[in-house]
Amino acid sequence: MRAALGLCLLLLLAGCNATAPETPTPETTAAPVPGAPDDYPPGIDASGVVDPVALANAHGAATGRRYVVVSNYTVQYPNGTLRSSVSQRSRVTAVEWTATVSVGGRRPGVISNTPATATFYSDGRLLVERIRRGNETKYLYIPPPEYNGGNGFYNSLRRPVPYRDPWALTASLDTRTLGVDNGSAVVAADGIADRSLFTAVVDVGDPANVSYRATVASTGLLRDQRLTYEGELFDGPVRVTRTISYRRLDGGVQRPPWFETAKVQSVRNGTV
């Protein structure tokens, strides 16, 4: 099996035609009360993740509407050469958000086919973007009637997948619980439980040598995740490393100093 470039999955399948698995309708599950040594986060017990939907719902609720998310995705060829990388950092409030995405390697994607860094800002009504490639800088301004709250790719800048709804990832793996402390747990996996589901999540062919580690807070927040695996892309075998972390955002989101420049010099104005 040859899968399409997996970079797009990290940013809501931007530019891809593939469809990410949808989160199933959750069943009513009583959440444990955190605090006791033998308590576990929602969807987790001593054996591992037993209810991926409950965990995914708890993670979504725990992130709330104010957080910082940092993700890194690297793809290497067997000889260690960097095929592609995506680094993303987003600061999100209930209204405003900002994100910086950098891509590199021989086959960058998502925002550029060459190494580049893009910064985005939205006040909830409109969006501005600045992208830098080498010595070149360009701007984009999307006014309120066109932005309309954002969708697709822009939504993914606030919360990347497949970790936005981690049910598919945890459901596809043979997880186990390494330990629990005051309601928080460390979960691991080194095997695939559902190969077709895992393949759909990571978008590579013949996935193998999987390793997954996650630190889950008592609320169900997946604070830190690390996933590595090998697989096949159209140009050959690769090894992929993905990490993502969520933290509470203290403070707000600042409008960038180049905001007015973006409005004036937007590529939509034909001035750049």
Side-chain angles (χ1 to χ4, degrees):
M1 172 181 178
R2 299 284 177 175
L5 177 61
L7 281 173
C8 303
L9 266 177
L10 189 64
L11 291 174
L12 200 59
L13 301 168
C16 290
N17 294 323
T19 301
E22 296 182 356
T23 305
T25 302
E27 298 179 357
T28 302
T29 303
V33 178
D38 57 348
D39 284 338
Y40 292 87
I44 297 175
D45 68 11
S47 64
V49 179
V50 292
D51 191 337
V53 175
L55 176 59
N57 289 333
H59 172 69
T63 56
R65 304 180 72 183
R66 176 179 290 274
Y67 55 87
V68 178
V69 58
V70 179
S71 64
N72 293 283
Y73 177 32
T74 61
V75 183
Q76 294 177 299
Y77 294 113
N79 64 3
T81 300
L82 181 64
R83 181 188 191 275
S84 52
S85 66
V86 180
S87 175
Q88 176 180 343
R89 181 181 180 88
S90 301
R91 294 169 60 89
V92 180
T93 70
V95 178
E96 296 179 283
W97 61 271
T98 184
T100 298
V101 180
S102 297
V103 299
R106 291 187 173 184
R107 292 183 176 273
V110 182
I111 60 171
S112 175
N113 58 8
T114 60
T117 297
T119 302
F120 305 82
Y121 165 79
S122 174
D123 64 0
R125 297 174 53 254
L126 53 80
L127 179 135
V128 290
E129 173 189 353
R130 181 186 68 186
I131 185 166
R132 288 175 166 171
R133 300 181 184 89
N135 296 324
E136 178 187 58
T137 301
K138 289 188 176 182
Y139 298 93
L140 174 67
Y141 167 59
I142 302 179
E146 297 179 38
Y147 181 62
N148 193 28
N151 55 53
F153 173 70
Y154 295 122
N155 272 334
S156 73
L157 293 171
R158 285 178 279 187
R159 187 177 292 181
V161 292
Y163 306 97
R164 177 182 180 182
D165 297 309
W167 75 267
L169 179 62
T170 55
S172 69
L173 295 173
D174 184 13
T175 61
R176 65 187 187 280
T177 299
L178 298 182
V180 61
D181 182 17
N182 289 323
S184 298
V186 177
V187 175
D190 298 297
I192 302 173
D194 186 329
R195 180 165 292 274
S196 62
L197 182 57
F198 183 78
T199 300
V201 171
V202 300
D203 202 28
V204 300
D206 301 324
N209 296 324
V210 176
S211 177
Y212 176 70
R213 298 291 185 276
T215 301
V216 188
S218 59
T219 58
L221 178 69
L222 285 136
R223 290 177 56 85
D224 298 286
Q225 296 179 89
R226 178 181 174 84
L227 173 68
T228 62
Y229 53 91
E230 295 174 358
E232 294 282 339
L233 292 176
F234 70 89
D235 57 340
V238 294
R239 179 162 184 80
V240 181
T241 301
R242 297 182 175 189
T243 63
I244 190 164
S245 65
Y246 281 89
R247 296 293 185 270
R248 176 177 174 79
L249 172 63
D250 295 321
V253 173
Q254 301 297 318
R255 193 173 79 171
W258 44 265
F259 180 85
E260 294 298 334
T261 302
K263 292 179 68 175
V264 173
Q265 297 187 16
S266 172
V267 292
R268 292 193 173 194
N269 299 336
T271 58
V272 177

